[in-house]
């Protein structure tokens, strides 16, 4: 059975993927917080992403990596820099040194959040990050491209929308991904023969999508779940909500409108 290192395994996506991937791989779970509920086929491994020596140790005997670690929402620059940018670099570098080629990177829709919801974008569109967090995901994706081109790594970047049991609001009707659909993409990233560098969108079969996920479908993705099944209930719940015009117009939602300066020329800049 393949041994797979899962960074950030104590987070929400990690919890879903642990359930979905159970029995398929031996999962070496790492996080800053010790994971104490390891089941059969799982073990905890200490690997702070900011500590290159520990990360290298955690990769011994590993066949592939699911990199979920780091900040999964907006944060201050220092935190994002250390956890997401330096952390991702440390992981890729340790993987190169240990000869671990296959990496599935949990990128995010926030790498593309400044696109309008009227636009349908695909894996070839240029990034438009909506936050320091989104910017760190653009860095992580490009880091993968560099390690593929220069060192022969094999990388799948999944721009995850929102993973949950069900979509939680109108925005998520476009970007939701069920745990089993996310697991399908992760398995493709770990097991597809001849993978070099691919970018796919992490969403289920969503009628209201803003993304053309042709690249994932070309690679064999066959999503099982559809957000539309929840649409009438969610839209009825939200009917009459005033909302935030900018967040409601652009794909990244409140990640776009947070700290947004409507008229930079006239704004008094604060530190
Ligand atoms: C993300 O990238 C976050 O990790 C997640 O917490 C959600 O905020 C999600 O995006 C989203 O856009 O809904």
């Amino acid at each position: 059975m393949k041994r797979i290192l899962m960074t950030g395994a104590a987070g929400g996506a990690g919890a879903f993927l642990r359930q979905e991937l159970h029995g398929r791989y031996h999962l070496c779970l790492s996080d800053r917080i010790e994971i104490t509920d390891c089941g059969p086929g799982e073990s905890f491994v200490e690997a702070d992403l900011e500590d290159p020596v520990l990360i290298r140790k955690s990769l011994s005997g590993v066949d592939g990596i699911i990199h979920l670690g780091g900040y999964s929402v907006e944060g201050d620059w220092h935190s994002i820099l250390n956890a997401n940018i330096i952390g991702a670099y440390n992981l890729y570098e340790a993987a190169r040194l240990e000869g671990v080629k296959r990496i599935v990177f949990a990128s995010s829709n926030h790498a593309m959040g400044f696109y309008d919801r009227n636009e349908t974008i695909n894996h070839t569109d240029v990034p438009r990050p909506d936050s320091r967090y989104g910017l760190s995901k653009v860095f992580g994706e490009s880091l993968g491209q560099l390690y593929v081109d220069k060192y022969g790594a094999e990388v799948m970047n999944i721009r995850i929308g929102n993973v949950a049991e069900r979509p939680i609001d109108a925005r998520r009707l476009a970007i939701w991904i069920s745990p089993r659909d996310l697991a399908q993409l992760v398995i493709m990233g770990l097991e597809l023969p001849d993978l070099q560098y691919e970018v796919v969108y992490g969403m289920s079969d969503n009628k209201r999508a803003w993304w053309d996920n042709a690249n994932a479908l070309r690679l064999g993705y066959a999503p099982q779940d559809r957000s539309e099944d929840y649409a009438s209930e969610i839209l009825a719940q939200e009917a009459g909500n005033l909302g935030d015009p900018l967040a409601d117009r652009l794909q990244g939602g409140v990640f776009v409108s947070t700290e947004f300066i409507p008229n930079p020329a006239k704004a008094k800049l604060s530190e």
Side-chain angles (χ1 to χ4, degrees):
M1 190 183 275
K2 283 193 166 164
R3 288 177 77 82
I4 303 295
L5 175 75
M6 183 190 288
T7 69
F16 286 130
L17 286 173
R18 283 173 65 188
Q19 273 179 17
E20 296 293 331
L21 301 177
H22 177 78
R24 192 171 187 109
Y25 310 114
H26 180 90
L27 294 176
C28 307
L29 308 174
S30 83
D31 209 293
R32 298 179 84 142
I33 308 165
E34 186 174 351
I35 296 172
T36 52
D37 65 343
C38 290
E42 294 182 335
S43 49
F44 176 69
V45 51
E46 205 186 343
D48 186 333
L49 289 170
E50 291 169 42
D51 182 335
V53 177
L54 265 189
I55 300 181
R56 222 181 136 177
K57 266 197 196 159
S58 77
L59 284 171
S60 153
V62 157
D63 302 297
I65 301 169
I66 306 170
H67 181 37
L68 309 173
Y71 256 61
S72 61
V73 287
E74 180 62 314
D76 63 75
W77 172 238
H78 183 75
S79 308
I80 296 285
L81 174 67
N82 286 322
N84 291 22
I85 295 186
I86 296 176
Y89 178 79
N90 287 342
L91 180 73
Y92 272 79
E93 188 55 9
R96 179 183 75 80
L97 292 168
E98 287 299 313
V100 182
K101 287 184 145 196
R102 202 47 89 102
I103 303 178
V104 175
F105 174 55
S107 184
S108 166
N109 70 91
H110 296 289
M112 311 297 280
F114 255 98
Y115 281 96
D116 200 284
R117 295 186 190 186
N118 288 330
E119 288 176 82
T120 301
I121 57 173
N122 68 25
H123 61 290
T124 65
D125 283 298
V126 294
R128 292 183 72 178
D130 58 22
S131 49
R132 291 175 289 279
Y133 164 65
L135 177 65
S136 74
K137 293 297 183 182
V138 177
F139 173 84
E141 290 190 7
S142 289
L143 180 69
Q145 178 81 76
L146 173 68
Y147 273 68
V148 168
D149 289 341
K150 193 162 264 199
Y151 305 118
E154 299 166 348
V155 171
M156 180 182 275
N157 293 324
I158 307 177
R159 287 183 185 151
I160 301 175
N162 185 244
V163 56
E165 294 288 0
R166 44 176 288 158
I168 53 173
D169 57 20
R171 176 171 170 271
R172 271 53 171 250
L173 290 174
I175 68 167
W176 173 67
I177 185 163
S178 67
R180 64 175 171 171
D181 284 345
L182 180 60
Q184 190 190 143
L185 285 173
V186 168
I187 291 168
M188 286 165 56
L190 291 173
E191 298 184 12
L192 275 179
D194 306 323
L195 181 92
Q196 288 194 318
Y197 178 80
E198 299 293 348
V199 176
V200 297
Y201 285 90
M203 67 169 174
S204 285
D205 179 11
N206 299 341
K207 189 176 159 197
R208 292 160 200 260
W210 312 308
W211 308 326
D212 170 0
N213 215 4
N215 199 38
L217 302 178
R218 178 187 68 82
L219 292 167
Y221 180 47
Q224 304 295 294
D225 296 302
R226 304 178 328 152
S227 66
E228 203 55 21
D229 297 344
Y230 305 91
S232 51
E233 193 189 326
I234 286 175
L235 295 175
Q237 275 165 14
E238 291 195 8
N241 284 4
L242 276 180
D244 164 345
L246 183 69
D248 289 347
R249 183 167 62 81
L250 298 178
Q251 297 191 3
V254 292
F255 283 66
V256 174
S257 53
T258 306
E259 299 176 36
F260 181 78
I261 296 175
N263 188 343
K266 288 193 183 153
K268 189 172 165 241
L269 297 178
S270 59
E271 286 195 8

